[in-house]
Amino acid sequence: MFRGMAEFTLFVIPGSTLLISTILSVFSSLIRCLPSETPGPLRRYRERELVNLSGDGTGELKEWHRFYDYEGFKVPDGPLLDKLRRTFLLRCSRNLFVLTGKDSSSSRRPKSSKDKSAWRTDKEFAREMLAGLNPILIRLLQEFPPESKLDPEVYGNQNSSITKEHIENHLDGLTINKALEKKRLFILDHHNTLMPNLRRINTTSTKTYASRTVLFLKDDGTLKPQAIELSLPHPDGDKFGAVSKVYTPAEHGVEGSIWQLAKAYAAVNDSGHHQLLSHCCHPINKLLDPHFRDTMNINALARQILINAGGVVESTVYPSKYAMEMSSVVYKNWVFTEQALPADLINRGMAEKDSDAPHGLRLVLDDYPYAVDGLEIWSAIETWVEDYCSFYYKTDEMVEKDSELQSWWKELREEGHGDKKDEPWWPKMHTYPYAGFLPNRPTISRRFMPEEGTPEYEELKSNPEKAFLKTITAQLQTLLDTPEWTQDATPLKAFEKFRWKLADIEENIIKRNGDEKFKNRVGPVKMPYTLLYPTSKGGLTGKGIPNSVSI
């Protein structure tokens, strides 16, 4: 229509701002173009429209304003806020439930799990670090014993107390040094993140530990937990280091029950991390818009209902009232360029660069469902975005001279991440670049590990199920547009190619899930890994990649 025209003429009627806005809106809905390609008579109106959408930071904010000052958005107390809170919590928790605390059978197990005790096994506990809801923290263990990065001047000795005596007899004949050399040892480390906050967290109703879990890669490709270290701050002060105890696998008697609790404490930390840290007419705007639908509204409401003081998160995740403070501390180490899946896998030692391997990465664990499926999807998305953007940006110079793109990138760095705006790792925009079953992954622990000679220990011996459920308690909150968005044929064709590629990937995932050589895809619970299926039917299915980051 307008694209490619050498000349475009618009007769403007005096006082016709509404008409111009309407024309610009229609133009925007049909044509995706760069500022330099906007027909001359419309350019100043496009610029004015961006100002109108952004606001000037003064006066009353309107619902169409795009702004970073979330504190300016507040729903008044009353029936509307109560209704929003109920709706918001329902949407957050629709895939969760509340434990009765009376019997473990009252907890809703995954329907496809035939073995009701499968979730208790060490194999399933370890498998979910690769194919569960938080498969992005496990990393290759590169030194033994594990060392802490906390400042010893402030926190004393925080290095791990796990010794070779705890694990060396269970490494299939390997010494620890050989196991490290062969990349057979892994760790799920929640020590450094938790320890600085743990003393205060445990003043609340939460009672938990900093944890380290060491795992060994078996010959069949599955992981086996070797030891779990649970640590508390020293009672005489932080500078005296940690008070730690190491637990090793056991199956029977009270030792078996204690091992189950040790795994539960590690799972509490993992679930808490998952909940807290891990949640115009411009063509780039159109590309990203579906993936941020309602995000501003959701974030504003979340600040009032979900992450406010005394809100849902502080009530349901183990750091309690220190949850947001802890998230802020962890955010200090956040690096934008490390968030991409390939970079994340490399940083955790779970992959190495290899130009001959698929996607340019060789996985340390071949049977790592999250990484295998994720990299395939990542590659498909990367190709789709490259195809889309290359249609609008033919040269690097077009990127540099796109005033709206540069302004957006500047605002993202300086306003969205103002405290990190001067970090050297920001890219230059000069070139184109099971949580449903609570006992399985609990989010809160209410009691410390029972000590021998206490009533809690005797209860653990006589009724381990009841003791377990008294320790982990109920959780309240463990729960692209259609192709008409553009008239440009090339992006539409690229999008159609992307859709077919995703369909192929889903078929590949289904085949891998049915291949018995991949032990980590189904596991003891007999539930295939479906979280990265590209598509899903409506409702709660445990599959399908959300199109938008809003809940």
Side-chain angles (χ1 to χ4, degrees), residues 89-331:
L89 295 181
L90 177 62
R91 294 185 66 184
C92 285
S93 60
R94 60 187 175 187
N95 61 328
L96 305 168
F97 58 94
V98 177
L99 280 176
T100 64
K102 295 180 180 179
D103 186 275
S104 64
S105 63
S106 63
S107 303
R108 190 177 61 194
R109 293 184 179 83
K111 291 182 179 179
S112 56
S113 178
K114 298 178 181 179
D115 185 347
K116 294 183 178 182
S117 63
W119 64 272
R120 289 181 176 273
T121 63
D122 291 355
K123 181 181 290 187
E124 181 60 23
F125 171 71
R127 186 187 75 90
E128 292 193 19
M129 298 178 197
L130 303 175
L133 289 185
N134 195 24
I136 62 173
L137 286 183
I138 185 172
R139 62 179 176 85
L140 184 70
L141 184 60
Q142 297 177 319
E143 76 282 330
F144 190 89
E147 297 180 356
S148 173
K149 295 182 180 179
L150 294 176
D151 185 352
E153 294 292 323
V154 178
Y155 297 104
N157 181 12
Q158 295 288 337
N159 291 337
S160 177
S161 60
I162 300 174
T163 66
K164 67 177 184 179
E165 285 76 21
H166 287 121
I167 69 172
E168 197 162 55
N169 292 333
H170 307 283
L171 302 181
D172 292 354
L174 297 177
T175 64
I176 288 178
N177 287 338
K178 273 296 181 184
L180 289 172
E181 181 184 325
K182 291 179 174 292
K183 299 181 178 179
R184 301 281 292 273
L185 288 175
F186 296 82
I187 186 170
L188 186 68
D189 194 338
H190 290 289
H191 186 95
N192 294 341
T193 301
L194 262 174
M195 187 55 73
N197 304 280
L198 193 56
R199 193 184 302 276
R200 291 185 300 162
I201 289 172
N202 284 336
T203 64
T204 70
S205 58
T206 293
K207 299 294 180 281
T208 193
Y209 301 85
S211 65
R212 292 182 175 107
T213 305
V214 173
L215 306 102
F216 175 68
L217 176 61
K218 298 168 60 180
D219 290 336
D220 65 358
T222 62
L223 292 174
K224 181 180 180 181
Q226 298 294 309
I228 296 175
E229 178 189 56
L230 301 180
S231 304
L232 290 171
H234 198 285
D236 295 331
D238 290 346
K239 65 180 181 179
F240 293 99
V243 177
S244 303
K245 190 169 182 179
V246 178
Y247 299 88
T248 54
E251 294 184 6
H252 306 293
V254 67
E255 292 81 7
S257 299
I258 287 176
W259 174 243
Q260 291 296 331
L261 281 176
K263 291 192 292 183
Y265 287 116
V268 163
N269 292 343
D270 209 39
S271 295
H273 187 283
H274 172 66
Q275 297 288 342
L276 287 177
L277 311 168
S278 7
H279 287 237
C280 151
C281 54
H282 197 287
I284 302 302
N285 170 273
K286 196 59 181 178
L287 175 68
L288 296 178
D289 182 65
H291 307 292
F292 293 91
R293 178 175 295 139
D294 295 331
T295 299
M296 298 294 278
N297 292 337
I298 288 289
N299 286 353
L301 286 172
R303 286 172 177 263
Q304 195 171 352
I305 297 172
L306 190 65
I307 62 174
N308 58 308
V312 176
V313 167
E314 290 192 353
S315 302
T316 61
V317 180
Y318 69 87
S320 191
K321 64 181 180 180
Y322 302 108
M324 291 299 101
E325 181 180 342
M326 182 176 162
S327 297
S328 299
V329 171
V330 173
Y331 169 71

Side-chain angles (χ1 to χ4, degrees), residues 317-501:
V317 180
Y318 69 87
S320 191
K321 64 181 180 180
Y322 302 108
M324 291 299 101
E325 181 180 342
M326 182 176 162
S327 297
S328 299
V329 171
V330 173
Y331 169 71
K332 290 180 180 179
N333 297 319
W334 181 87
V335 177
F336 176 78
T337 52
E338 293 178 357
Q339 305 311 303
L341 178 59
D344 170 62
L345 292 171
I346 291 172
N347 286 339
R348 290 190 284 124
M350 303 303 288
E352 298 174 341
K353 290 183 178 179
D354 185 345
S355 58
D356 295 327
H359 320 297
L361 289 183
R362 179 172 57 81
L363 294 176
V364 173
L365 279 171
D366 291 333
D367 189 10
Y368 187 177
Y370 165 76
V372 174
D373 298 354
L375 284 172
E376 201 167 350
I377 293 165
W378 174 274
S379 178
I381 294 174
E382 185 178 43
T383 299
W384 148 237
V385 173
E386 285 181 354
D387 288 347
Y388 178 90
C389 292
S390 62
F391 174 73
Y392 297 100
Y393 295 101
K394 308 298 184 187
T395 66
D396 292 345
E397 184 181 17
M398 295 178 70
V399 175
E400 291 187 58
K401 292 186 176 181
D402 185 339
S403 58
E404 290 179 7
L405 182 69
Q406 296 296 338
S407 176
W408 168 73
W409 185 241
K410 182 175 184 290
E411 187 176 12
L412 186 150
R413 298 192 321 272
E414 298 182 5
E415 300 293 337
H417 297 279
D419 53 340
K420 291 182 174 291
K421 63 181 180 181
D422 297 322
E423 295 287 354
W425 38 255
W426 283 107
K428 305 296 184 184
M429 190 63 76
H430 291 164
T431 59
Y432 173 58
Y434 294 94
F437 181 44
L438 182 58
N440 184 41
R441 272 298 188 267
T443 62
I444 296 180
S445 52
R446 296 297 189 189
R447 305 197 303 189
F448 289 123
M449 182 71 78
E451 297 290 340
E452 193 168 0
T454 63
E456 290 80 12
Y457 189 87
E458 293 303 313
E459 181 182 53
L460 187 64
K461 289 169 61 177
S462 61
N463 193 337
E465 292 283 340
K466 184 177 181 181
F468 187 91
L469 288 173
K470 276 188 174 181
T471 302
I472 58 163
T473 56
Q475 117 179 348
L476 182 63
Q477 191 264 333
T478 334
L479 275 182
L480 255 135
D481 277 335
T482 56
E484 286 76 23
W485 46 267
T486 181
Q487 295 280 314
D488 293 325
T490 301
L492 284 175
K493 187 180 295 184
F495 182 72
E496 190 64 19
K497 182 176 75 172
F498 175 56
R499 291 176 59 189
W500 281 109
K501 181 61 178 177

Side-chain angles (χ1 to χ4, degrees), residues 47-60:
E47 293 167 0
R48 183 185 299 173
E49 180 76 355
L50 286 174
V51 173
N52 290 337
L53 288 173
S54 302
D56 61 5
T58 63
E60 181 181 356

Side-chain angles (χ1 to χ4, degrees), residues 499 502-503 506 530-537 541-545:
R499 291 176 59 189
L502 289 181
E506 187 161 316
T530 62
L531 293 181
L532 288 183
Y533 273 34
T535 63
S536 171
K537 296 179 180 178
T541 64
K543 63 180 71 171
I545 303 172

